Amino acid sequence: MSRTTGAIRILPYSRVVGQNDLKLALELNYVAPRIGGVLMAGARGTAKSTIVRAFALMVHAELPVTLPINATDDRVVGGWELEALMRGEARPQPGLLEEAAGKGLLYIDEVNLLDDHLVNVILDVVSTGVLSVQREGLADAKHVSFGLVGTMNPEEGWLRPQLLDRFGLMVAAQQQDTETRHRTIKTVLAFEEEYQKEESPWLQEAEQDNTATRDLLESARSRVATMKVPDEMVQLCAQVAQRVEAVGQRGEIVATLAARALAALEGADTVEPGHLLRVLPMAFRHRRPETAHGGTFDWTTDDEARVRDLFETG
Amino acid sequence: MATEPPSGDTPDTGSAFDIGIGADTGPGSRSGAVPEPSGGPHGPHGRGGQPDDLALRLCQALVCAAVDPALSSVLLFDLEPQLLDGVARLFGRLLAGARQPGAPLVVLGATSRDEDLWTRPVLRQEADGIAFRLEPGPLIQADDRTGAPPPVVLVPDLCRLSVAGMRGAVQLLGADVAVVEQAGLRHEARPRARWLAACSSADAGRISNHLLDRFAIRLPVAGLTTLDVEQLLGALPPTWLAASARAVDDTGAPPVAVADDTVVRVARLLGPDTGVRRQLALARLARALAALEGEGTARVEHCDAAARLMGLAVADTPRAPEPAAGAAAAVPPPPRLIPRPRGDTGKHGQGEQTERRRAEAGQALLETEPAEGIGSAPGGTPTALTTPYPEDSAGVLRDFAPLRSPWQRTAGTDTRRGVVIGSRRARDLNDLAYVRTVREAALHQRVRRAEHFTVSAADLHCHVRAGAPERMLVLVLDHTCRGDWDWQDVLAPYLQWAYTVRAAVHVVEIGGAEAADELRAESFALRSVRDPRLLAALYRPLGRASPLAHGIEQAARALRRAFRQHGSGLAEAWLVVVTDGRGNIPLRASHTGRLSGPVGAEGVEDALRAAADIRAMDRTRLRVVVVDAGREPYGSLPFTLADTLGGIVIDGQGGRGPDADGRGNAGEW
């Protein structure tokens, strides 16, 4: 199925007001796909889904492969094309996981509402890298790899630690101040107004800004693999992981990748402590023991205090 | 209404649907949204047979929902159930441009399932077998059919909506795009359906805020007693009908700008703590009203009219110009329909400026007079809550994770729930596995030599679904009462029962030394007693605080969800509370996370109040046991707690479960 936008209207990425952390996490994940995805948590109405879709439209010119919370197994792992079967043709229908592997990203809206058995399916595939289908006369196994992007409202429950850990970065949508909120409302209303016009300089300008952002991302993506990460940065990362009592080793790996992606995005020649400091909350907030067991995901001043001395220059 | 009024003039079409731009909201004036109020003993249709204010505001709200797809969901609080059909028909007619028949109606309720909402199998008997087709289901049927009226999705009681229905609403309401991946069907489109839901304001606190927040238009309609669809449609200006009928081809209203000060006004009316979605909804409503007026810009006055439409107080509207000639004379209306801003002394502004102050979201638009008794019986009209956001002040216990699919399923023979784990030959047409069915039929097509692809009865297969727990054990563990006592012996029978019947387990922990917040109980759900987290929970080091009330509240929440929520249900549940009854943390402190001042007996009293809620569930299949830790000087507290819960007491130090000494109902072991 082609994912054309048709009547679907998504606010252009360049016009999303605020939520800089959310945007940065998506951009870093795009520059360095090995980061392994982004989880966005935040209160309702903080533009989480809009940002994901707008970003996908900007960089891929199509909506992301989306796993809805009520998807059936055949659509997740694959099955048969029903219409073709009715015509007497046996035509397998690839599932969303296979499609996501082709695009590199699977988006799960309201990921914390996903049924347990689907979580198990995704965990199996993400952890083994193999999509094995043994159902309804299908017998197939494929190597698949994709990054997960999820959005959730913590009011509606938390995620299992195993799935939480599968998201490379986690970001919290911020509550907006009055001025930002005012600009948000104005922008959304302006977009809806402009969208109805035959010609809209407003939309054209937004598209130009999108193009500029996309070029910047592509440039960083092409440079990132060649950037060296100094040993002291890797050591610093390990020290941070120890200080925040990070569960497992994925945190420091992701933090290193994200710091390198940020350096590439900013056009730096090498990864510096400042880059690492900027991405720490994203890489470690969901890997602290208290968060893994349903505690707060806020990166507090206490968390900052635990690692501050590591980044203070003598 | 459709003609452009001279600048600064109040438009006047002589219609009951004058939305009152620039109208003084002070008492005694006639707000446009409040035409000739009737009320009184003559019912809702007052002088000249005009519909009453509430009916008009409701009609306006529905027109706005038809005109602007971003306002596609309407939530009515305290609507009389007998009016629901009329409101749905009115909405359907508006979406079809008043033509008959109106837009198609889809009703969602407590039994709605995913399989019913997203896909629709079409089975037809033909000469050579069964013709079969799978189509998009009722919620998305019109998404690709521009030119047909979008359906009205009617939810008679949002509080009783099934989990599948609520999850569907979360996916579709206000969404830029709806993605459906069900049983071979792929669907990705902008949702076109309009939603109309009703809910008691008293129940609003039980519903997920995540869901409530997605309803763009909220309207308290307590007091609406009749609704004449034809009369309302007849009173509607033709331009409004034409505008609402644009929903058929999704052309919407012409572009309308929203002035900067209008956005400021929106924020001011709703207050600083409101969410972006509410602000957007009010701004869009203002924009829709401006569009219906034929204006190119939504101004502050439109914002005020939108706020009044939803029942929000507008306390500081600038004084209006003199009413245009032809406007209705200010006939003093009955007191109960007078908009009375807070702080208003009752002296009406005959040329006097009302004091400027920020209105509070949720402030009542209408003052409710004391109820008048009818005859000799007590009562009379109940005091109606007139706020579009009753959940903000709701004191009831919100359900735990209400949008998550429950593990527990309906007990008995209903096997149409649970995760699909396979398929088998069907014995009836329930829960058919379409792909499996068609694949089976495909094998036999050549043999059948039929002209078309045919499905015979022998091909039909239905899903086999995983068995789900129908029993539950809720453990409330008060660590502060344990000390050197090993409570595993006394808990063993309950754990054995849970293991034997494959019960789900919900653990509530109180007073552990490692609690994230010692003022709060912590709870988690397990699929079975085999989960290692249960063993860990049995041996936590003890802390100081005992938020027993919060623990009992969490247990009540888990039980309510398991027993009552949205069609899921348990065959049997045990609630086992291990405590000495000493609750030294009041519920308020648990909720706020702050402990201030001496506690006294407040914590214990709160625990008993929470326990009374569990007893009030009146579940015959809920068995309650309080395990008495036998601590002095709290000797009688566990008995008081057990009495309040409606359960029995087991001696924790010497007892070995309910069958140890013959006390109480031993249950089924």
Side-chain angles (χ1 to χ4, degrees):
Chain A
M1 172 183 138
S2 82
R3 291 179 179 273
T4 56
T5 53
I8 296 169
R9 310 170 191 177
I10 309 288
L11 183 71
Y13 183 76
S14 60
R15 291 298 174 267
V16 176
V17 177
Q19 303 300 4
N20 294 330
D21 277 359
L22 270 59
K23 292 180 189 169
L24 179 62
L26 283 175
E27 290 170 11
L28 295 178
N29 188 58
Y30 181 76
V31 170
R34 283 181 51 214
I35 284 172
V38 180
L39 174 63
M40 298 179 178
R44 53 195 183 274
T46 44
K48 302 181 293 290
S49 304
T50 299
I51 288 174
V52 176
R53 290 184 177 124
F55 183 82
L57 282 173
M58 177 182 72
V59 296
H60 299 301
E62 60 182 356
L63 289 165
V65 178
T66 302
L67 172 63
I69 53 176
N70 51 22
T72 52
D73 294 5
D74 67 303
R75 291 301 314 120
V76 176
V77 300
W80 295 101
E81 263 192 42
L82 203 59
E83 293 294 326
L85 274 181
M86 301 288 287
R87 294 193 302 269
E89 301 170 30
R91 188 183 304 166
Q93 183 181 36
L96 290 168
L97 300 183
E98 193 175 338
E99 191 181 343
K103 304 276 172 60
L105 188 141
L106 178 69
Y107 173 46
I108 311 173
D109 196 8
E110 313 288 1
V111 61
N112 52 333
L113 300 183
L114 203 61
D115 283 339
D116 256 13
H117 73 287
L118 287 183
V119 172
N120 292 335
V121 168
I122 291 165
L123 283 174
D124 282 350
V125 172
V126 171
S127 56
T128 62
V130 176
L131 171 63
S132 175
V133 185
Q134 303 287 342
R135 65 195 307 271
E136 292 182 332
L138 282 168
D140 197 9
K142 295 185 178 73
H143 286 281
V144 294
S145 170
F146 51 82
L148 289 173
V149 173
T151 50
M152 61 175 271
N153 176 356
E155 282 178 19
E156 295 303 327
W158 204 234
L159 278 184
R160 282 160 55 183
Q162 301 94 321
L163 184 59
L164 198 58
D165 191 48
R166 288 292 161 189
F167 289 95
L169 303 175
M170 179 183 174
V171 277
Q174 297 115 354
Q175 287 296 340
Q176 297 175 324
D177 59 28
T178 306
E179 194 273 331
T180 309
R181 194 176 281 214
H182 178 88
R183 284 193 296 124
T184 299
I185 307 282
K186 285 284 297 174
T187 303
V188 171
L189 295 171
F191 169 65
E192 289 171 356
E193 181 192 355
E194 295 293 328
Y195 199 90
Q196 291 179 275
K197 296 177 180 174
E198 293 289 326
E199 287 288 320
S200 169
W202 191 94
L203 286 174
Q204 287 165 5
E205 196 179 321
E207 187 50 44
Q208 286 164 6
D209 291 347
N210 270 0
T211 303
T213 304
R214 187 170 58 240
D215 292 346
L216 186 71
L217 290 170
E218 294 297 346
S219 164
R221 189 171 168 146
S222 62
R223 284 187 338 110
V224 73
T226 60
M227 288 189 68
K228 293 279 182 276
V229 182
D231 263 356
E232 53 268 31
M233 282 303 107
V234 180
Q235 283 180 359
L236 188 58
C237 217
Q239 287 175 296
V240 168
Q242 189 177 17
R243 292 280 186 94
V244 300
E245 299 171 38
V247 178
Q249 257 96 61
R250 197 170 283 129
E252 48 260 51
I253 296 169
V254 168
T256 309
L257 291 171
R260 188 168 68 164
L262 180 60
L265 204 53
E266 291 183 349
D269 295 325
T270 184
V271 182
E272 293 168 359
H275 296 128
L276 187 58
L277 187 61
R278 178 82 176 84
V279 301
L280 282 187
M282 299 179 187
F284 286 109
R285 69 168 12 115
H286 55 308
R287 296 189 168 96
R288 296 167 305 174
E290 62 268 33
T291 310
H293 292 98
T296 177
F297 55 81
D298 294 332
W299 188 263
T300 63
T301 49
D302 288 346
D303 293 305
E304 285 173 13
R306 284 198 281 182
V307 299
R308 188 180 299 132
D309 63 298
L310 297 174
F311 291 88
E312 282 169 350
T313 50
Chain B
M1 188 63 58
T3 55
E4 292 234 4
S7 176
D9 282 359
T10 305
D12 175 39
T13 61
S15 161
F17 282 83
D18 178 358
I19 60 170
I21 304 307
D24 190 341
T25 57
S29 70
R30 177 175 175 269
S31 160
V34 185
E36 201 70 17
S38 55
H42 306 295
H45 302 297
R47 303 164 188 81
Q50 287 286 5
D52 79 348
D53 157 53
L54 213 44
L56 289 178
R57 280 170 42 208
L58 171 57
C59 193
Q60 285 180 341
L62 297 179
V63 171
C64 291
V67 164
D68 188 346
L71 295 171
S72 63
S73 50
V74 181
L75 178 55
L76 304 177
F77 289 107
D78 302 314
L79 179 72
E80 293 291 339
Q82 70 270 17
L83 298 182
L84 196 63
D85 177 61
V87 177
R89 278 191 294 115
L90 175 62
F91 201 8
R93 294 279 298 279
L94 287 170
L95 288 165
R99 290 187 298 273
Q100 290 272 30
L105 187 67
V106 178
V107 182
L108 299 192
T111 57
S112 301
R113 303 176 307 150
D114 279 332
E115 292 86 339
D116 308 320
L117 302 179
W118 304 108
T119 54
R120 179 163 40 202
V122 181
L123 294 168
R124 202 170 53 253
Q125 180 66 51
E126 291 191 347
D128 46 5
I130 302 169
F132 166 88
R133 202 170 63 253
L134 197 64
E135 293 182 344
L139 291 187
I140 53 174
Q141 62 189 353
D143 288 359
D144 302 319
R145 291 190 203 162
T146 302
V152 175
V153 179
L154 177 66
V155 184
D157 185 353
L158 194 61
C159 199
R160 301 287 305 152
L161 183 58
S162 67
V163 175
M166 287 197 295
R167 287 156 63 101
V170 164
Q171 281 177 263
L172 297 182
L173 292 182
D176 294 318
V177 55
V179 179
V180 178
E181 302 279 358
Q182 281 265 330
L185 179 86
R186 310 201 58 181
H187 177 91
E188 190 174 67
R190 183 181 174 87
R192 290 185 72 229
R194 303 301 201 267
W195 288 63
L196 175 66
C199 172
S200 158
S201 55
D203 289 336
R206 296 197 186 284
I207 303 168
S208 160
N209 276 331
H210 195 62
L211 171 59
L212 284 173
D213 200 48
R214 291 170 189 265
F215 281 90
I217 300 180
R218 316 276 209 92
L219 190 60
V221 290
L224 187 67
T225 51
T226 60
L227 188 94
D228 188 328
V229 174
E230 298 303 330
Q231 184 193 43
L232 283 167
L233 287 171
L236 204 59
T239 49
W240 285 41
L241 273 179
S244 64
R246 292 199 196 104
V248 171
D249 50 12
D250 294 330
T251 50
V256 171
V258 180
D260 215 53
D261 54 351
T262 306
V263 179
V264 173
R265 178 68 172 171
V266 163
R268 192 165 172 198
L269 283 173
L270 291 172
D273 300 324
T274 195
V276 169
R277 280 206 180 113
R278 285 186 191 177
Q279 291 186 331
L280 267 174
L282 187 57
R284 283 163 171 160
L285 195 56
R287 185 179 63 187
L289 291 175
L292 289 167
E293 275 222 305
E295 301 257 3
T297 303
R299 304 188 309 272
V300 168
E301 295 84 351
H302 295 106
C303 176
D304 288 353
R308 283 193 297 270
L309 184 63
M310 286 213 297
L312 285 165
V314 184
D316 54 353
T317 307
R319 192 178 155 218
E322 287 298 309
V331 179
R336 77 178 180 84
L337 280 177
I338 295 175
R340 195 174 295 168
R342 279 176 54 152
D344 181 47
T345 58
K347 293 183 179 178
H348 310 326
Q350 301 291 338
E352 125 190 5
Q353 194 78 356
T354 53
E355 182 189 350
R356 293 186 76 84
R357 55 181 295 169
R358 184 177 60 77
E360 294 176 15
Q363 182 184 329
L365 171 67
L366 307 174
E367 290 284 334
T368 308
E369 294 292 304
E372 293 177 11
I374 299 174
S376 58
T381 310
T383 302
L385 182 71
T386 52
T387 166
Y389 308 114
E391 71 271 23
D392 291 354
S393 53
V396 297
L397 179 67
R398 195 173 300 284
D399 286 327
F400 171 73
L403 297 175
R404 284 193 165 183
S405 292
W407 290 345
Q408 296 74 35
R409 310 292 178 179
T410 302
T413 56
D414 188 356
T415 56
R416 290 181 297 159
R417 299 175 186 274
V419 177
V420 174
I421 55 172
S423 59
R424 59 173 168 79
R425 205 168 289 285
R427 290 189 290 266
D428 53 32
L429 294 181
N430 284 325
D431 205 23
L432 290 178
Y434 306 115
V435 174
R436 177 77 175 86
T437 296
V438 172
R439 190 165 62 85
E440 190 70 19
L443 299 176
H444 307 294
Q445 291 310 296
R446 190 164 295 183
V447 178
R448 288 176 187 161
R449 298 178 184 279
E451 190 174 338
H452 305 291
F453 186 91
T454 59
V455 179
S456 81
D459 302 326
L460 294 175
H461 278 66
C462 65
H463 290 125
V464 175
R465 294 180 180 267
E470 293 185 340
R471 287 173 172 78
M472 188 177 193
L473 172 64
V474 180
L475 280 177
V476 180
L477 304 174
D478 183 350
H479 295 291
T480 61
C481 75
R482 205 174 78 242
D484 55 353
W485 162 49
D486 186 352
W487 56 20
Q488 189 166 331
D489 282 349
V490 76
L491 290 177
Y494 306 101
L495 300 175
Q496 285 166 2
W497 169 83
Y499 176 75
T500 305
V501 302
R502 302 289 186 268
V505 181
H506 196 97
V507 179
V508 181
E509 292 189 73
I510 298 162
E514 299 163 351
D517 184 343
E518 64 176 349
L519 299 182
R520 295 186 170 119
E522 294 179 337
S523 71
F524 52 93
L526 308 173
R527 281 196 174 282
S528 75
V529 292
R530 293 181 301 165
D531 192 305
R533 285 180 292 170
L534 176 58
L535 193 61
L538 292 176
Y539 292 102
R540 300 244 197 255
L542 55 145
R544 304 173 306 159
S546 175
L548 180 63
H550 195 228
I552 299 288
E553 186 186 61
Q554 299 234 354
R557 185 181 290 185
L559 285 164
R560 180 182 293 109
R561 171 172 165 76
F563 267 121
R564 288 197 340 198
Q565 191 191 45
H566 314 302
S568 71
L570 289 179
E572 183 180 16
W574 277 87
L575 168 63
V576 180
V577 184
V578 193
T579 183
D580 54 11
R582 180 192 65 118
N584 60 9
I585 304 296
L587 201 50
R588 180 174 34 81
S590 299
H591 287 167
T592 61
R594 291 187 302 276
L595 190 59
S596 53
V599 171
E602 199 179 343
V604 174
E605 289 162 0
D606 284 352
L608 295 178
R609 261 193 294 274
D613 280 350
I614 291 180
R615 184 167 192 160
M617 289 183 197
D618 197 24
R619 291 284 164 181
T620 55
R621 302 291 283 163
L622 171 63
R623 299 151 196 259
V624 181
V625 168
V626 176
V627 177
D628 177 14
R631 299 273 172 197
E632 294 299 337
Y634 314 113
S636 65
L637 289 180
F639 290 86
T640 311
L641 182 63
D643 286 345
T644 313
L645 284 165
I648 59 170
V649 178
I650 298 292
D651 177 10
Q653 301 280 10
R656 296 189 324 276
D659 53 348
D661 52 11
R663 281 187 293 173
N665 184 346
E668 298 155 13
W669 303 97

